[in-house]
Amino acid sequence: MSFTGAMSACAMALGLFGFLAWLRVRQVSSMLKERHEARLAERDRIARDLHDTLLQSTEGLILKVYTAARRLPLGDPVREYLTRSVDQAEELALEGRQKLLGLRQHTQLRPELSQALAALGLELSADTATTFTAVKKGRVRPLTPATWDEVFSIAREAINNAFKHAAAEHIEAVVTYASSALTVRICDDGRGVPKEAWVGRKTDHIGLCVMRERADELHAELLIDTDAGRGTTVSLTVRTSIAYWRRAPAALLPSDS
Amino acid sequence: MTSKPISVLTVDDHPVFREGVAAVLSLEPDIRIVAEAQTAAEALSLFRQHRPDVVLMDIKLPDGSGIEATARICQEFPGAKVIMLTTFKGDVQALGALKAGAWGFLLKNTVRRDLAESVRMVHRGQQRILEEVALELAMHAADEVLSMREMEVLRSVGLGQSNKGIARMLGITEETVKTHVASVLMKLKANDRTHAVLIGMKRGILDLQ
């Protein structure tokens, strides 16, 4: 075989390899999309269901207990006890309703990610001394719904952990829209997790497991960097072919760009 | 009290909720539940049969909306007094209920405090609208109302449709869709499409119940 012949065979092989790789990526991302959409529909159905059945019935149950309490004489300690319990039940029902509403709004709207994280941080920092900022880098690109949801959930878990356990002064979320990948980094200047504790805890806590599972779902890389006194940084990298939506419907384009 | 108790028809497809309402009203000697309906159709036929003084109507029923059921009852019996019960305080839904002929609009989680008194007020011929709902109504009283087409467009935007997709679905041109979207943004005082959808959900233009 001549030199040029070998070269062209090589080029063909490379081309074929490239094509196969491309095909595989498309396959993975379309599979991901289908699975995700099915899951969203399911989540929506459950939220609707819970609202329509469980919450309405709970409201009825509250009325029944309230009535029973009202039938007891004024000043009866049992009456007071039941009345207080009814108030608590009412608060729980309200909280449940708001959560369900939030669930559906999130799955239906998906604002630009750093904005969504900023809103979350604002909410969590309300009663604490910890400050929170969310930063956006690069030109905003529309994310696929699967990416948005999984990334938001992972970031939320990381931010929640930082607020709850880190005793941090400052927590920062950085969303970077690069052409090579989407990266989200959550860092805090808190007490961090000592190496020993880290290594010893094989099964981790559930939150971390779920974060890993979600990251795997996106074929994404999740890194957690922490040590005693050094704070914690959680970074998540999702590759371009999975993260970005090449042709997003206009309604889903980020609103700030 | 010597006068006849106020007769009430409850319409709700959740049996436990109906039981709760019945329990609360059982504390009131001057109010009596005469019938319970689970669907809009049943509500109409039970109304014909019992002619209750007051109807307590869930806004969402398995065979249609409580607003439509109210409109049908009020068309056939112009003196009917319906109180709408809902879990959601968007002004657009409240307005719809009042336009259909409802005399009251209550939230399900305030039934405990407000129901009995509301039944009496409406029975006397006074309208009863919760302050928080009244406030929502007042805030948007001067707003321009969305047309049916604009609501359809907003609903499609909420479902993630592009202008092109909406145009195809509604059988109009993309230009017309753009005009509708612009008009929706203006009427709702929204900054962009996402904001418009959020406002639509909050005000009960889009169904999020």
Side-chain angles (χ1 to χ4, degrees):
Chain A
M1 206 181 342
S2 72
F3 177 67
T4 46
M7 279 292 280
S8 69
C10 236
M12 263 175 71
L14 265 177
L16 187 64
F17 177 75
F19 176 70
L20 286 176
W22 173 78
L23 210 60
R24 175 70 190 143
V25 165
R26 276 199 42 165
Q27 219 175 22
V28 166
S29 63
S30 95
M31 206 172 68
L32 213 64
K33 196 169 151 236
E34 262 169 44
R35 206 186 318 159
H36 187 72
E37 267 161 19
R39 200 183 302 162
L40 276 191
E42 174 78 356
R43 194 193 292 179
D44 203 61
R45 197 184 59 70
I46 293 171
R48 215 173 251 274
D49 233 35
L50 283 176
H51 182 277
D52 288 352
T53 56
L54 188 74
L55 278 179
Q56 311 264 350
S57 301
T58 307
E59 216 59 78
L61 215 53
I62 289 172
L63 293 179
K64 288 168 78 172
V65 178
Y66 164 79
T67 307
R70 278 278 307 269
R71 291 202 176 278
L72 295 168
L74 261 173
D76 186 326
V78 177
R79 175 172 170 152
E80 273 160 38
Y81 178 80
L82 285 179
T83 308
R84 260 205 319 280
S85 306
V86 164
D87 287 340
Q88 282 169 345
E90 193 68 75
E91 270 169 41
L92 284 178
L94 190 69
E95 198 182 313
R97 175 168 305 121
Q98 278 161 351
K99 280 213 172 122
L100 288 181
L101 208 66
L103 193 64
R104 301 198 55 207
Q105 281 180 355
H106 268 309
T107 59
Q108 289 181 2
L109 283 177
R110 302 191 188 90
E112 192 279 314
L113 200 56
S114 70
Q115 280 179 11
L117 296 179
L120 174 72
L122 195 68
E123 209 175 289
L124 291 172
S125 62
D127 302 314
T128 66
T130 310
T131 54
F132 180 89
T133 48
V135 181
K136 173 180 71 191
K137 288 184 179 165
R139 196 171 61 82
V140 177
R141 301 167 70 166
L143 304 181
T144 58
T147 303
W148 197 99
D149 292 349
E150 302 297 352
V151 171
F152 180 77
S153 299
I154 293 169
R156 179 174 53 195
E157 182 67 28
I159 293 170
N160 262 324
N161 283 342
F163 271 105
K164 258 194 242 161
H165 308 299
E169 271 176 36
H170 187 69
I171 300 170
E172 186 177 60
V174 184
V175 179
T176 309
Y177 297 88
S179 53
S180 55
L182 169 80
T183 314
V184 176
R185 233 180 45 229
I186 314 290
C187 14
D188 68 65
D189 57 0
R191 60 175 155 235
V193 182
K195 276 263 153 55
E196 314 85 75
W198 201 235
V199 177
R201 274 194 323 191
K202 260 211 177 122
T203 47
D204 292 322
H205 62 303
I206 283 193
L208 203 56
C209 279
V210 174
M211 279 163 75
R212 288 223 181 278
E213 263 171 39
R214 288 183 184 283
D216 287 346
E217 192 75 31
L218 289 177
H219 300 261
E221 190 183 30
L222 179 71
L223 288 175
I224 299 169
D225 181 22
T226 182
D227 201 356
R230 276 208 307 123
T232 302
T233 298
V234 175
S235 50
L236 179 73
T237 308
V238 190
R239 64 169 180 251
T240 301
S241 56
I242 286 176
Y244 301 127
W245 203 341
R246 249 180 297 171
R247 293 177 53 199
L252 293 178
L253 284 172
S255 52
D256 73 332
S257 54
Chain B
M1 207 174 311
T2 51
S3 60
K4 212 165 72 99
I6 304 171
S7 57
V8 171
L9 163 67
T10 58
V11 186
D12 198 304
D13 59 323
H14 307 92
V16 184
F17 187 78
R18 284 202 316 273
E19 275 179 44
V21 169
V24 170
L25 292 181
S26 75
L27 296 168
E28 316 292 336
D30 59 330
I31 301 174
R32 198 163 55 90
I33 292 181
V34 291
E36 297 187 6
Q38 303 199 42
T39 61
E42 215 184 335
L44 192 61
S45 80
L46 285 176
F47 191 98
R48 286 189 190 122
Q49 195 182 326
H50 294 274
R51 303 293 176 91
D53 296 319
V54 176
V55 180
L56 299 177
M57 177 83 74
D58 186 8
I59 207 158
K60 200 171 166 190
L61 296 167
D63 57 340
S65 89
I67 294 179
E68 283 160 35
T70 301
R72 282 173 61 194
I73 290 177
C74 292
Q75 265 163 26
E76 199 174 321
F77 304 93
K81 288 181 173 141
V82 179
I83 297 176
M84 194 70 66
L85 288 179
T86 169
T87 53
F88 182 67
K89 57 181 180 216
D91 68 296
V92 175
Q93 274 199 341
L95 197 65
L98 296 177
K99 279 193 177 155
W103 281 68
F105 193 86
L106 291 184
L107 300 179
K108 281 191 169 178
N109 59 354
T110 61
V111 158
R112 213 159 19 118
R113 290 186 270 128
D114 295 310
L115 187 61
E117 199 40 47
S118 302
V119 168
R120 289 188 195 105
M121 275 174 73
V122 167
H123 180 55
R124 278 199 301 269
Q126 283 171 272
Q127 285 211 328
R128 173 70 179 129
I129 298 159
L130 275 188
E131 284 76 11
E132 43 197 311
V133 177
L135 199 67
E136 292 276 325
L137 276 168
M139 261 164 52
H140 300 291
D143 287 7
E144 274 188 86
V145 182
L146 296 193
S147 69
M148 288 302 278
R149 244 301 129 76
E150 285 163 353
M151 277 193 218
E152 277 176 321
V153 169
L154 180 62
R155 210 166 288 134
S156 314
V157 171
L159 292 172
Q161 291 275 349
S162 64
N163 285 347
K164 201 177 279 176
I166 298 172
R168 206 170 30 224
M169 217 165 60
L170 301 182
I172 50 183
T173 68
E174 209 177 325
E175 278 309 307
T176 314
V177 174
K178 280 186 192 157
T179 315
H180 284 315
V181 171
S183 162
V184 167
L185 294 190
M186 200 187 66
K187 287 183 178 176
L188 297 183
K189 301 190 179 72
N191 303 327
D192 53 50
R193 301 164 72 105
T194 312
H195 192 202
V197 173
L198 257 180
I199 294 173
M201 289 183 187
K202 217 177 116 211
R203 292 187 49 192
I205 301 168
L206 299 176
D207 171 42
L208 202 86
Q209 289 220 16

